[in-house]
Amino acid sequence: MNLYFFGGSFDPPHIGHLSIIQSCVIDSERIILIPTKKSPFKDQIPVSSAYHRIRMLELLINKIAHPIIIDDWEINNPAPNYTYETIRHLQTDYPDSNLSMVIGGDQLTRFQGWKNYREIMDVVRIVAFNRDKSQYNPPVGMQISWLADFHIKISSTAIRKKIIEGYIPSNDLTPEVLKYIESNHL
């Protein structure tokens, strides 16, 4: 099975995430979304609770006719989590799958700083969404597919900032996610 997995804070999930997921539907047999408890590269934990982030992801993907699973393994893991551990988890749950890790091209600039990045390279193909036509040169041995010209410039951090400032970023969110944020005072 050709399995794509896409991790992140998803705080909140936005139309950029949706566009990435929709692009991955073409080549995958199944997509797994993995909201994280806390990124090792970020000082702060997500603002919204795990419960709310999972509910918003469900709303984000509810109209996509493709097998998509929201895996809460990272959120429920009490220890700090690293991608290579998530990959081991997926290999256990889906032993006969070809794993592809979905990341933004901007994340590749930090990739060699990831814990056990060589182990990650050995077991997954990387599907990178190229933002701003990154000129990243992958390490030798990295199996990488570029989805070029991805021009959606939205970040969950910027969305949260706009909400705090009293601006509702309706162009950045699906109507369902926006309504959820408003209804739950997030």
Side-chain angles (χ1 to χ4, degrees):
M1 176 188 325
N2 197 11
L3 189 146
Y4 280 38
F5 69 98
F6 180 24
S9 298
F10 301 111
D11 187 24
H14 51 68
I15 61 167
H17 295 131
L18 179 61
S19 181
I20 289 170
I21 293 164
Q22 289 169 327
S23 295
C24 292
V25 163
I26 297 165
D27 294 322
S28 69
E29 293 174 63
R30 179 175 290 161
I31 298 171
I32 300 183
L33 304 176
I34 305 175
T36 188
K37 185 179 226 169
K38 180 185 177 295
S39 169
F41 290 104
K42 295 180 182 176
D43 293 332
Q44 298 177 328
I45 61 170
V47 175
S48 298
S49 71
Y51 173 83
H52 287 307
R53 290 185 292 131
I54 289 172
R55 296 293 86 71
M56 288 187 285
L57 275 173
E58 290 170 345
L59 292 169
L60 185 78
I61 63 172
N62 70 353
K63 295 178 183 170
I64 299 175
H66 189 77
I68 301 175
I69 297 167
I70 300 170
D71 187 320
D72 63 0
W73 182 80
E74 281 192 18
I75 280 181
N76 291 326
N77 191 346
N81 189 74
Y82 295 95
T83 300
Y84 79 95
E85 294 167 333
T86 300
I87 292 168
R88 287 180 184 164
H89 160 72
L90 292 172
Q91 287 173 321
T92 300
D93 282 3
Y94 305 95
D96 297 325
S97 294
N98 296 316
L99 295 176
S100 295
M101 179 175 67
V102 178
I103 62 175
D106 54 327
Q107 291 296 316
L108 287 174
T109 60
R110 298 185 216 164
F111 184 75
Q112 289 174 291
W114 290 18
K115 190 168 187 172
N116 297 351
Y117 79 94
R118 291 222 175 265
E119 180 180 330
I120 295 169
M121 285 177 26
D122 290 343
V123 296
V124 301
R125 179 175 70 106
I126 294 174
V127 177
F129 282 79
N130 198 1
R131 294 173 117 175
D132 302 322
K133 298 185 180 183
S134 172
Q135 298 301 312
Y136 178 76
N137 292 317
V140 174
M142 179 183 278
Q143 301 172 58
I144 187 166
S145 296
W146 286 100
L147 293 172
D149 299 327
F150 189 74
H151 296 292
I152 296 176
K153 295 185 180 199
I154 300 171
S155 79
S156 295
T157 302
I159 291 170
R160 288 191 311 274
K161 183 178 178 191
K162 289 176 185 177
I163 291 171
I164 288 168
E165 294 170 352
Y167 171 71
I168 304 300
S170 57
N171 292 337
D172 298 344
L173 301 165
T174 64
E176 297 85 1
V177 171
L178 179 60
K179 182 178 179 182
Y180 186 89
I181 289 170
E182 291 174 335
S183 298
N184 290 279
H185 310 290
L186 301 177

